[in-house]
Amino acid sequence: MKEILCSIITIGDELLIGQTIDTNSAWIAQQLNAIGIQVIRRVAVGDVKDAIIQALDEEKKRVDIVILTGGLGPTSDDITKPLLCEYFNGTLVENEEVLKHVMSIFAKRNRPILASNVRQAMLPNTCQILFNEVGTAPGMLFEQDGKIFISLPGVPFEMQYIISTHVLSLLKEKFVAPNIIHRTLVTSGEGESFIANRLTDFEKELPKHIKLAYLPKLSIVKLRLTAINVDPNEIDVYFNSLKDILANILVADTDIELEQVLAQILTDHKKTMSIAESCTGGYVASIMTSMKGSSAYFKGGIVPYAIESKIAVLGIHADTIDSHTAVSEQTVQEMAEQCRLKFKSDYAVSISGYLEKNDSQNEVWIAVASAKEIKTKKIIVPYDREKNRILASNTALNLLRLFIVEEGR
Amino acid sequence: MKEILCSIITIGDELLIGQTIDTNSAWIAQQLNAIGIQVIRRVAVGDVKDAIIQALDEEKKRVDIVILTGGLGPTSDDITKPLLCEYFNGTLVENEEVLKHVMSIFAKRNRPILASNVRQAMLPNTCQILFNEVGTAPGMLFEQDGKIFISLPGVPFEMQYIISTHVLSLLKEKFVAPNIIHRTLVTSGEGESFIANRLTDFEKELPKHIKLAYLPKLSIVKLRLTAINVDPNEIDVYFNSLKDILANILVADTDIELEQVLAQILTDHKKTMSIAESCTGGYVASIMTSMKGSSAYFKGGIVPYAIESKIAVLGIHADTIDSHTAVSEQTVQEMAEQCRLKFKSDYAVSISGYLEKNDSQNEVWIAVASAKEIKTKKIIVPYDREKNRILASNTALNLLRLFIVEEGR
């Protein structure tokens, strides 16, 4: 079966001066991948007519589908629509349905409609309009020489809406795509090269048409097997063998985040958690509440950032801090215990440490507590403030995950 | 003066299936921009030899500098180094200094060194080595036909280290770059198209060689003026006029985040803050503690996620919640007041609301309090959970910023 290939072109000066991080491409790639379409290139260009045309000319030679994002807003740095109209030999024509929709949005917000907003209803007569119910700039689909070109607004949730609602079903109609199979294993506790060393024999035996990739990210290493048009049973044989080899550091056998695994375990066990975090400053709580339905297992948190807040708000004994300092096993033990009692949760995690006091020897203490037991762990975080925070958080979440799993046995 | 142009090529299958978001390119673009080098394209390709070579062939025709990131790790999906060695007619030769460094890293970690790590000291004899003090994979600089090619590891902090320590100074030696001037204005409180409407006359009068861009991001709109090789006084005339027109929504006249502005105001006024946040789940606290030195102004926070935690941990009267619900003006007022008292801070912010209860009519209440006064605000957050959280947080931080500024008058 023929592979269906796609290039993504993202448009915007802000991408090239580094003011904006491109999250759209990754999201689009995930969606296309799931329906068997392979993204083989991503290109970012500025708001420059010639650069956009050159990118279109080049990418269409390589692929079946070109997706463009950005450059469709109401402001004057947006040049994509007139350019595409010309490129695909069209004329801009007012679309009544889009105009009505744009006007209704402004009516709902009780705001006057501007000329630039009205212009958003002017669309090339050579495109299929991809209606944007959640914003003012519609998407456009053009066809040329059997290739598909799709232009979408750069605002992530508008782009995502149009892809989910219109684009995926249209592409499934137009192409019979091969079946791309991924199997992802999530591990925590061992570095990339140590895992690779344990997998030397495994990799030797892996057939050429199944690819293994390592995706390391601060205490988490994901391993991904990929194959196109294979019998799922064949890839599963290798995937199961991978799981066996790495059983001791296995977090999940699907592409999932650590916090999702923990949320699932808490839900399955009908247990609740709370958190007292000092140096991570609310980051762990924000991770655990980023998931829909988190109120089922997350009771709350305290960020006792100042030492006096550890005493006055969380209820740590001043003696403990005086004798052992705020970054100590004794302090995190008391933090976890106080936190669990205050929030009346089944489990509590606590974190206290330094994220950027020293060059590469910052000590972070973590404790996890239930009514029966408290466990502690000290780690050294060697990176910058942001990475150290993520590393400490991941370590704490994994510690709680293991703690609950072991207690449940 | 000749413009110095650069393309960034990022390598890795994980970028094309959407498993990883590319943050490297934005960071690199910022650094190069600051020394007058313009990134005109960014291309992402997979771990596929032909695709990498094709990208190199194409990009080098367009630019003076090609920067490649990724594909240099110890695991076997990394093919960039041998490929570059061949592309630039070299032979892999063991580099003693790099080998020593790799061995010392493993010695320090008290871990055995692996064959794959030793191989990282094998480097093309046609490159200038860019020593990587913070990791095992060094960067490489090649020259061909007056063009520069730089290959860097994909791990962000290693890439950043090599750019900061080696690459920027090397490029400044090799090129006399023109002066790119940006002026960025940060606003909050008005949408992109409304600002654009107020700037119609301004844009008409703006000379062709000064570009204006709109960068909207959930309640914040940044406006950027850009010009190459102009007299700074000329661009400042337009920038000052922009500031005057938008004075009522102006947050900052430099490219800075809202939380940095707030941190600066608190520091300048020698004031402290605390936060009680329910629906935002620790996100605002994590933003305020993401900055170095945050302990000077941030006393701490409470995330009273469950209703019983609002009562038991934060000290809200059960009556208040019974009579007015947890998402109400009365509740956030009491939350802010209790929070300020518990943490003994000069100011407190509180947030309580729904992030994804309804389709597009989620109500969020915010309060800001000092010893003298409490102010509240209700907003409707219309997006998905994540965006609503950021929108509510930004609104709360901006409310506190205005509150402190007004109180200081």
Side-chain angles (χ1 to χ4, degrees):
Chain A
M1 198 186 297
K2 193 182 160 291
E3 292 183 351
I4 311 299
L5 306 180
C6 174
S7 271
I8 300 172
I9 301 175
T10 50
I11 301 167
D13 287 342
E14 66 278 14
L15 296 163
L16 295 179
I17 68 160
Q19 204 146 9
T20 303
I21 287 169
D22 170 26
T23 56
N24 282 349
S25 297
W27 189 89
I28 295 171
Q30 281 177 1
Q31 307 304 309
L32 296 184
N33 226 266
I35 61 166
I37 295 168
Q38 274 181 278
V39 175
I40 59 157
R41 278 169 59 99
R42 290 166 26 182
V43 179
V45 294
D47 294 306
V48 178
K49 193 174 170 182
D50 290 346
I52 301 171
I53 290 173
Q54 196 184 45
L56 274 169
D57 286 343
E58 289 178 2
E59 297 309 315
K60 76 179 177 190
K61 287 185 200 144
R62 287 185 248 262
V63 296
D64 307 288
I65 303 161
V66 177
I67 294 187
L68 301 98
T69 67
L72 297 184
T75 49
S76 55
D77 58 339
D78 293 326
I79 57 169
T80 308
K81 194 169 64 181
L83 178 157
L84 289 176
C85 188
E86 200 185 316
Y87 195 86
F88 294 104
N89 306 310
T91 317
L92 287 178
V93 175
E94 189 172 279
N95 181 291
E96 211 180 318
E97 195 189 359
V98 173
L99 183 61
K100 258 193 202 158
H101 169 68
V102 171
M103 288 173 71
S104 80
I105 286 185
F106 282 81
K108 230 187 270 171
R109 295 186 193 155
N110 223 344
R111 297 227 180 176
I113 188 158
L114 308 170
S116 59
N117 300 119
V118 174
R119 267 199 307 277
Q120 301 205 272
M122 297 292 292
L123 291 157
N125 56 355
T126 48
C127 80
Q128 175 177 351
I129 294 169
L130 307 172
F131 204 72
N132 178 1
E133 280 85 351
V134 298
T136 52
M140 295 171 277
L141 184 150
F142 301 89
E143 293 202 51
Q144 189 190 69
D145 306 329
K147 315 225 157 174
I148 302 284
F149 300 79
I150 294 167
S151 166
L152 301 168
V155 180
F157 80 94
E158 297 186 22
M159 177 280 294
Q160 290 174 11
Y161 174 85
I162 298 175
I163 294 246
S164 308
T165 317
H166 306 297
V167 174
L168 295 179
S169 53
L170 283 169
L171 293 179
K172 275 194 258 182
E173 272 170 33
K174 288 185 197 290
F175 298 101
V176 181
N179 192 13
I180 304 178
I181 301 185
H182 297 298
R183 291 284 184 273
T184 304
L185 202 71
V186 184
T187 72
S188 184
E190 211 163 290
E192 178 186 6
S193 52
F194 288 88
I195 296 175
N197 199 39
R198 287 167 68 185
L199 295 179
T200 312
D201 291 343
F202 173 84
E203 290 204 48
K204 271 187 202 136
E205 280 163 34
L206 197 65
K208 278 240 177 274
H209 62 279
I210 302 182
K211 281 179 96 177
L212 171 68
Y214 291 78
L215 308 162
K217 206 170 78 184
L218 294 170
S219 94
I220 312 266
V221 179
K222 292 187 180 180
L223 293 137
R224 190 188 63 233
L225 291 177
T226 304
I228 295 173
N229 283 339
V230 298
D231 180 352
N233 292 323
E234 190 192 345
I235 198 168
D236 281 338
V237 168
Y238 291 96
F239 190 59
N240 287 331
S241 138
L242 203 56
K243 282 200 275 189
D244 287 346
I245 300 170
L246 304 176
N248 67 320
I249 52 170
L250 183 68
V251 172
D253 60 0
T254 175
D255 189 6
I256 190 173
E257 302 307 317
L258 180 54
E259 62 270 20
Q260 293 173 302
V261 177
L262 180 57
Q264 194 56 53
I265 292 173
L266 287 164
T267 310
D268 290 348
H269 289 69
K270 294 194 172 48
K271 299 287 184 190
T272 58
M273 69 172 284
S274 60
I275 168 139
E277 49 182 326
S278 182
C279 62
T280 48
Y283 182 79
V284 184
S286 81
I287 294 289
M288 290 312 298
T289 56
S290 67
M291 295 169 283
K292 190 169 180 146
S294 50
S295 55
Y297 52 81
F298 189 75
K299 292 274 220 167
I302 291 184
V303 183
Y305 211 58
I307 285 187
E308 67 265 30
S309 306
K310 289 187 181 65
I311 299 162
V313 185
L314 186 56
I316 305 302
H317 291 102
D319 283 358
T320 310
I321 293 174
D322 285 348
S323 321
H324 305 281
T325 79
V327 178
S328 64
E329 183 167 27
Q330 290 78 1
T331 298
V332 287
Q333 277 178 338
E334 224 176 293
M335 282 170 71
E337 190 51 25
Q338 282 298 322
C339 182
R340 201 181 63 75
L341 294 172
K342 274 197 184 298
F343 285 97
K344 299 187 178 60
S345 60
D346 298 304
Y347 298 99
V349 195
S350 66
I351 305 175
S352 183
Y354 300 108
L355 296 187
E356 55 176 353
K357 195 185 180 189
N358 303 301
D359 258 5
S360 62
Q361 292 293 310
N362 295 296
E363 194 175 297
V364 176
W365 274 99
I366 300 167
V368 286
S370 68
K372 284 184 263 175
E373 200 185 356
I374 298 189
K375 277 192 181 170
T376 58
K377 183 173 180 147
K378 184 180 88 168
I379 59 168
I380 301 296
V381 290
Y383 308 125
D384 64 21
R385 187 180 184 90
E386 190 198 335
K387 266 130 218 144
N388 286 342
R389 174 147 96 162
I390 299 171
L391 181 54
S393 299
N394 281 345
T395 308
L397 294 179
N398 197 42
L399 204 65
L400 179 58
R401 181 186 70 84
L402 290 168
F403 189 75
I404 300 173
V405 170
E406 276 161 31
E407 238 189 33
R409 268 185 198 142
Chain B
M1 199 186 297
K2 193 181 159 295
E3 293 183 352
I4 311 298
L5 306 180
C6 173
S7 271
I8 300 173
I9 300 175
T10 50
I11 300 167
D13 288 340
E14 66 279 14
L15 295 164
L16 295 180
I17 68 161
Q19 205 147 11
T20 302
I21 288 169
D22 170 26
T23 55
N24 282 349
S25 296
W27 190 88
I28 294 172
Q30 281 176 1
Q31 307 304 309
L32 295 184
N33 225 266
I35 61 165
I37 295 168
Q38 274 181 278
V39 175
I40 59 156
R41 277 171 59 100
R42 291 165 27 181
V43 179
V45 294
D47 294 307
V48 177
K49 193 174 169 182
D50 290 345
I52 301 171
I53 290 173
Q54 196 184 44
L56 274 168
D57 286 344
E58 289 178 2
E59 298 309 314
K60 78 180 176 190
K61 285 184 202 145
R62 286 185 248 261
V63 297
D64 307 289
I65 303 161
V66 177
I67 294 189
L68 302 97
T69 66
L72 297 182
T75 51
S76 55
D77 58 338
D78 293 326
I79 58 170
T80 308
K81 194 168 63 181
L83 176 156
L84 289 176
C85 187
E86 201 184 316
Y87 195 87
F88 295 104
N89 307 309
T91 316
L92 288 177
V93 175
E94 189 173 279
N95 181 292
E96 212 180 316
E97 194 189 359
V98 173
L99 183 62
K100 256 193 203 159
H101 168 68
V102 172
M103 289 174 69
S104 80
I105 285 186
F106 282 82
K108 231 187 268 172
R109 296 185 194 158
N110 223 345
R111 298 227 179 173
I113 189 158
L114 308 171
S116 60
N117 301 119
V118 173
R119 266 200 305 278
Q120 302 205 271
M122 298 292 292
L123 291 157
N125 57 356
T126 48
C127 80
Q128 175 177 350
I129 294 169
L130 307 172
F131 204 72
N132 178 1
E133 279 85 352
V134 297
T136 54
M140 296 171 276
L141 184 150
F142 300 89
E143 293 201 50
Q144 191 190 67
D145 305 330
K147 313 224 159 175
I148 301 285
F149 301 78
I150 294 168
S151 165
L152 301 168
V155 180
F157 79 94
E158 297 186 22
M159 177 281 292
Q160 289 173 12
Y161 175 85
I162 298 174
I163 294 247
S164 309
T165 318
H166 305 298
V167 173
L168 294 179
S169 54
L170 282 169
L171 293 179
K172 276 194 258 182
E173 273 170 33
K174 287 186 199 289
F175 298 101
V176 181
N179 192 13
I180 304 178
I181 301 185
H182 297 298
R183 291 284 184 274
T184 304
L185 201 71
V186 184
T187 72
S188 185
E190 212 163 292
E192 179 187 5
S193 52
F194 288 88
I195 296 175
N197 200 39
R198 286 168 67 185
L199 295 179
T200 313
D201 291 342
F202 174 83
E203 291 203 48
K204 272 189 202 135
E205 280 163 33
L206 198 64
K208 277 238 176 278
H209 62 279
I210 303 182
K211 282 180 94 177
L212 171 68
Y214 292 78
L215 309 161
K217 208 169 75 182
L218 293 169
S219 94
I220 310 265
V221 178
K222 291 187 181 180
L223 293 138
R224 191 187 64 231
L225 292 176
T226 303
I228 295 173
N229 282 341
V230 298
D231 179 351
N233 291 324
E234 190 193 344
I235 198 168
D236 281 338
V237 168
Y238 292 95
F239 191 59
N240 287 332
S241 138
L242 202 56
K243 282 200 276 188
D244 287 345
I245 300 170
L246 303 176
N248 67 318
I249 52 169
L250 182 68
V251 172
D253 60 0
T254 175
D255 188 6
I256 190 173
E257 303 307 317
L258 181 54
E259 62 270 20
Q260 293 174 303
V261 177
L262 180 57
Q264 193 56 53
I265 291 173
L266 287 163
T267 310
D268 289 350
H269 289 69
K270 292 195 172 49
K271 300 287 183 190
T272 59
M273 69 172 284
S274 60
I275 169 141
E277 49 180 327
S278 183
C279 62
T280 49
Y283 182 78
V284 184
S286 82
I287 293 289
M288 289 312 298
T289 56
S290 67
M291 295 168 282
K292 190 168 180 149
S294 49
S295 55
Y297 52 81
F298 189 76
K299 292 273 219 167
I302 290 185
V303 183
Y305 211 58
I307 283 187
E308 67 264 30
S309 305
K310 288 186 181 67
I311 299 162
V313 185
L314 186 55
I316 304 301
H317 291 100
D319 284 356
T320 310
I321 293 174
D322 285 346
S323 321
H324 304 283
T325 81
V327 177
S328 64
E329 183 167 27
Q330 290 79 2
T331 299
V332 289
Q333 277 177 339
E334 224 176 293
M335 283 170 70
E337 191 50 25
Q338 283 298 323
C339 182
R340 201 182 63 77
L341 295 172
K342 275 198 183 299
F343 285 98
K344 299 186 178 63
S345 59
D346 298 304
Y347 297 99
V349 194
S350 66
I351 305 176
S352 183
Y354 301 108
L355 295 187
E356 54 177 352
K357 196 185 179 191
N358 302 301
D359 259 5
S360 61
Q361 292 293 311
N362 294 296
E363 193 175 299
V364 175
W365 274 99
I366 300 167
V368 287
S370 69
K372 282 183 265 173
E373 198 185 358
I374 298 189
K375 276 193 182 169
T376 58
K377 182 174 183 148
K378 184 179 86 167
I379 58 168
I380 302 297
V381 291
Y383 308 125
D384 65 19
R385 188 180 183 90
E386 191 198 335
K387 266 130 220 146
N388 285 342
R389 174 147 96 162
I390 299 172
L391 180 54
S393 299
N394 282 345
T395 309
L397 294 179
N398 197 41
L399 204 65
L400 179 58
R401 180 187 71 84
L402 289 168
F403 189 75
I404 301 174
V405 170
E406 276 162 29
E407 237 190 35
R409 267 182 200 144

